[in-house]
Amino acid sequence: MPSEHRPLATRDRAVWEAICGEMHRQQDGLEMIASENYTSAAVMEATGSVLTNKYAEGYPGKRYYGGCQFADRVEELARERACKLFSAQHANVQPHSGSQANMTIYLTVLEPGDTVLGLDLAHGGHLTHGMKLNVSGKLYRFVAYGVDPQSHRIDFDQVAALAREHRPKLIVAGASAYPREIPHDRFAQIAEEVGAKLMVDMAHYAGLVAAGLHHNPVPVADFVTSTTHKTLRGPRGGVVFCRQEDARAIDRSVFPGLQGGPLMHVVAAKAVCFLEASEEDFRAYAQQVIDNARTLAETLAAGGLSLVSGGTDNHLMLVDVTPLEIGGRLAEEVLERCGITVNKNMIPFDTRKPMDPSGIRIGTPALTTRGMAQTEMRQIGGWILEALKSPDDEACHQRIRHSVREMCRQFPAPVPPGCEDVLSMPAAASLPSQD
Ligand code: DSN
């Protein structure tokens, strides 16, 4: 058989084994990184499709390459479905990531040196909201707003005061580690008062918006950006929404401004994701994500952990682990030993360093996709507390690891088409190499 026709398992055993290992890891442990999810078999099928072979620079009906009739069809489907899902006038589905989506807005609205307001990274913001080592912070003059020291909610008095003082051209709302619903209308009032444009980055909670459980920023913001792979549960990628009057400028900023050829296999998978997110069972899923986060947060708080803002309205919680006299780095490591994956995270007004902060961030989107509900959240909360209260007790961690494995077997994650057999094999690390 010619080598280009051979399946991965025999063509490149090393890569195949690594992928099998990751498949086992994802099935065998509790994925609680707030920005991760298990995408559907249909989304994975589209992502692994022949559209990966196609160049389609340009937009439907206006391409720089021949043979784009099917690329046009999937991009039209993705745009139409995205607009319908979020009641938007225009969507650009080509950004390769959330970072590209955010840069699209900056390139469209700003000149280098212009002033922008964004949420402080240490208070839950994102790298692309003006972190000084990120291109956003290098090219533009970002001024950071933060959360209130007592409530840990966005301090709108401060946002308004900074806006009046600095007269930004753009205000960026949205966050990657903020456990409360973001009131977009309050940002819109401030932006209107100072004559700024408003951009909302809803990457983390887009799935909750699609389900109608969090307010939709599209009607009140000039620009909305998102990723498609977090609560929205699609392929990795970005999307931008705007009014019709800005559509041409936004499209030009994506291509040729920032990107060349779109990843058409991912655009097809985004179309599938937007269809899935419009269905009734997605609404039930998103409600369960929120219910699960609340139950887990209550369990952790009852066990003595301190939660930033006292709880959660969305899919994630920020937990201050220092009351247990450990730091976020050790907490992440201990939980990993138990088969529970989270990430260490700064908390507002943190006195520790980013590589060993005071907190961990925990999310429920992925476990909810597996069908886990409140009963499992109480059980998992109990394991987290037990493990973090005994960070040196290996026997305790092994016991929890065993229980985690049992729970995971009861709630299988979606398996990519054609990979069903892999999970009945031993974990890839123990497979003999054929190289
Ligand atoms: N890195 C993502 C997160 O974990 O929140 C945001 O892009």
Side-chain angles (χ1 to χ4, degrees), residues 35 126 176 204 230 361:
S35 47
H126 187 254
S176 55
H204 260 265
K230 298 185 175 92
R361 187 183 64 161

Side-chain angles (χ1 to χ4, degrees), residues 33-36 99 126 176-177 203-204 227 229-230 236 343 361:
I33 306 253
S35 47
E36 293 183 9
S99 298
H126 187 254
S176 55
H204 260 265
T227 53
H229 50 273
K230 298 185 175 92
R236 297 195 81 85
N343 64 279
R361 187 183 64 161

Side-chain angles (χ1 to χ4, degrees), residues 34-307:
S35 47
E36 293 183 9
N37 211 329
Y38 295 100
T39 199
S40 68
V43 164
M44 285 188 275
E45 194 175 346
T47 309
S49 72
V50 293
L51 282 160
T52 195
N53 297 331
K54 189 71 199 99
Y55 250 117
E57 283 181 24
Y59 290 99
K62 286 173 281 177
R63 303 284 190 188
Y64 289 84
Y65 292 81
C68 285
Q69 60 271 41
F70 301 108
D72 280 4
R73 184 71 192 119
V74 294
E75 187 163 352
E76 279 162 0
L77 282 169
R79 292 198 303 201
E80 284 162 21
R81 290 173 181 176
C83 285
K84 189 160 173 224
L85 187 60
F86 293 103
S87 306
Q89 292 177 10
H90 180 72
N92 187 306
V93 295
Q94 293 191 4
H96 301 330
S97 69
S99 298
Q100 304 272 38
N102 289 348
M103 280 309 296
T104 296
I105 310 305
Y106 304 154
L107 190 64
T108 306
V109 174
L110 305 172
E111 297 297 331
D114 276 347
T115 301
V116 189
L117 247 53
L119 179 61
D120 194 333
L121 183 63
H123 288 213
H126 187 254
L127 291 177
T128 57
H129 299 184
M131 191 258 201
K132 68 177 188 307
L133 297 178
N134 183 262
V135 65
S136 58
K138 285 178 189 277
L139 279 185
Y140 310 109
R141 183 179 161 261
F142 267 83
V143 176
Y145 58 86
V147 299
D148 176 83
Q150 260 73 49
S151 68
H152 293 156
R153 296 185 187 237
I154 292 166
D155 182 347
F156 281 97
D157 290 339
Q158 186 197 36
V159 178
L162 290 172
R164 287 176 198 131
E165 180 187 345
H166 294 280
R167 311 303 290 190
K169 206 177 209 180
L170 180 71
I171 297 179
V172 179
S176 55
Y178 185 71
R180 296 296 181 177
E181 179 162 10
I182 295 179
H184 310 116
D185 51 345
R186 296 192 68 183
F187 280 104
Q189 282 161 12
I190 295 169
E192 189 179 4
E193 183 197 318
V194 300
K197 297 274 187 197
L198 175 62
M199 158 185 155
V200 175
D201 175 352
M202 64 170 179
H204 260 265
Y205 52 97
L208 310 182
V209 172
L213 301 173
H214 275 212
H215 287 105
N216 185 359
V218 169
V220 299
D222 297 288
F223 305 99
V224 175
T225 61
S226 185
T227 53
T228 46
H229 50 273
K230 298 185 175 92
T231 48
L232 204 49
R233 213 167 60 179
R236 297 195 81 85
V239 59
V240 169
F241 299 96
C242 67
R243 298 189 189 99
Q244 199 55 48
E245 69 213 44
D246 295 313
R248 195 172 140 79
I250 286 292
D251 286 353
R252 287 168 70 108
S253 289
V254 175
F255 169 82
L258 287 167
Q259 297 182 176
L263 311 175
M264 291 314 302
H265 53 308
V266 178
V267 170
K270 287 174 187 172
V272 177
C273 149
F274 297 136
L275 173 73
E276 291 180 349
S278 69
E279 291 170 347
E280 194 50 39
D281 56 356
F282 188 85
R283 190 176 194 287
Y285 160 73
Q287 183 63 60
Q288 191 65 54
V289 167
I290 293 174
D291 293 346
N292 282 353
R294 277 198 189 128
T295 300
L296 182 60
E298 283 162 14
T299 307
L300 297 178
L305 285 171
S306 166
L307 299 181

